[in-house]
């Protein structure tokens, strides 16, 4: 019997997943949590074989919870749940040690099969998404340019960016010009959007991942 913990803050979604998995003859849902801070303590108590973790959990987000679980309970294999599958989200999930990556509206049979395969030691990722992640655009920005763009993403004006990064206003303007040129963006907003879609910048609030949409750039 494969024991499963479900971490999802939307009650209806969590209940639906629990109900769907509970009808499987070889899967048992042993714990359900709705807050990220409860994931690790609940897993340490219930010792599930597989943890289904929503990326955008309140409190400790799903990615951070997955990283901590991999450290304190390596026997529990993590599967990330998201409402929107993007190469950026996939890369972050793999970096967090996830063994599977599932979109929430996947058919019940696919979710159950993912749980079985992950419990058996396999890595389960949608093939099309994996290819998209492998062929996603390379980051052309330097570490300093990313710092400038990260502050710009918060909507700060040039003088505030300069103050926070201990730069002159002219230097910040030069950085922003280079960033736009490298990314082929016309505005700071467009540059930020491209960087977030590509996974080079990540929202401060991981729950906003559902707002990031991937646009293929052939």
């Amino acid at each position: 019997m494969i024991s499963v913990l479900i971490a999802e803050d939307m009650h209806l979604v969590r209940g639906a997943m629990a109900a769907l998995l509970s009808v499987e003859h070889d899967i048992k849902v042993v714990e359900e949590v709705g807050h990220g801070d409860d994931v690790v303590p609940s897993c340490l108590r219930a010792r599930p074989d597989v943890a289904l973790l929503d990326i955008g959990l309140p409190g400790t987000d799903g990615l951070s919870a997955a990283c901590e679980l991999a450290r304190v309970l390596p026997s529990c294999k993590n599967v990330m749940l998201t409402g929107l599958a993007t190469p950026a989200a996939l890369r972050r999930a793999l970096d967090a040690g996830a063994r599977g990556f599932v979109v929430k509206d996947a058919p019940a049979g696919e979710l159950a099969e993912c749980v079985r395969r992950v419990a058996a030691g396999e890595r389960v990722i949608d093939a099309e998404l994996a290819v998209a992640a492998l062929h996603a655009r390379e980051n052309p920005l330097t570490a300093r340019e990313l710092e400038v763009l990260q502050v710009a993403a918060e909507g700060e004006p040039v003088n505030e960016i300069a103050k926070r990064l201990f730069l002159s206003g002219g230097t910040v303007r030069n950085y922003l010009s280079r960033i736009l040129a490298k990314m082929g963006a016309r505005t700071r907003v467009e540059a930020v959007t491209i960087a977030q879609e590509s996974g080079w910048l990540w929202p401060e609030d991981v729950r906003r991942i559902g707002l990031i949409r991937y646009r293929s750039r052939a």
Side-chain angles (χ1 to χ4, degrees):
M1 184 71 70
I2 302 168
S3 57
V4 175
L5 174 140
I6 300 175
E8 162 61 55
D9 63 314
M10 296 181 67
H11 296 285
L12 288 176
V13 175
R14 186 172 72 244
M17 286 193 293
L20 290 169
L21 290 176
S22 294
V23 301
E24 301 293 330
H25 71 281
D26 57 344
I27 297 175
K28 181 180 181 181
V29 177
V30 295
E31 195 81 30
E32 299 177 41
V33 301
H35 198 281
D37 295 350
D38 298 328
V39 170
V40 172
S42 295
C43 282
L44 288 174
R45 180 176 62 253
R47 301 275 169 169
D49 300 309
V50 177
L52 299 177
L53 307 176
D54 178 23
I55 284 182
L57 288 169
T60 302
D61 64 78
L63 295 171
S64 299
C67 287
E68 182 64 9
L69 273 178
R71 186 182 71 83
V72 302
L73 191 63
S75 62
C76 178
K77 300 177 176 65
N78 302 317
V79 174
M80 304 310 302
L81 302 169
T82 180
L84 182 67
T86 68
L90 173 58
R91 287 199 299 271
R92 295 280 177 155
L94 294 178
D95 289 344
R99 301 296 301 178
F101 190 88
V102 177
V103 180
K104 291 181 186 179
D105 62 358
E110 289 186 15
L111 179 60
E113 186 61 21
C114 175
V115 168
R116 292 188 183 97
R117 292 174 61 190
V118 167
E122 296 182 45
R123 192 185 295 276
V124 182
I125 299 167
D126 178 78
E128 184 176 342
L129 181 60
V131 170
L134 287 172
H135 292 87
R137 182 176 176 179
E138 291 293 327
N139 182 4
L141 305 181
T142 65
R144 193 56 160 169
E145 288 166 348
L146 278 174
E147 286 182 329
V148 170
L149 189 59
Q150 182 66 71
V151 180
E154 300 171 18
E156 299 290 1
V158 169
N159 62 337
E160 183 60 27
I161 298 173
K163 180 180 178 181
R164 288 176 56 175
L165 298 180
F166 304 100
L167 299 170
S168 69
T171 299
V172 170
R173 291 187 184 90
N174 288 338
Y175 272 125
L176 289 172
S177 294
R178 288 204 296 271
I179 289 169
L180 296 183
K182 284 183 176 182
M183 299 177 70
R186 293 167 294 181
T187 66
R188 286 167 52 179
V189 172
E190 184 179 356
V192 168
T193 299
I194 292 172
Q196 289 185 336
E197 290 174 348
S198 302
W200 310 330
L201 291 182
W202 202 245
E204 291 295 325
D205 183 352
V206 177
R207 283 173 289 180
R208 290 182 57 213
I209 183 60
L211 302 177
I212 298 177
R213 295 188 175 275
Y214 176 69
R215 293 181 302 180
S216 177
R217 297 179 182 85

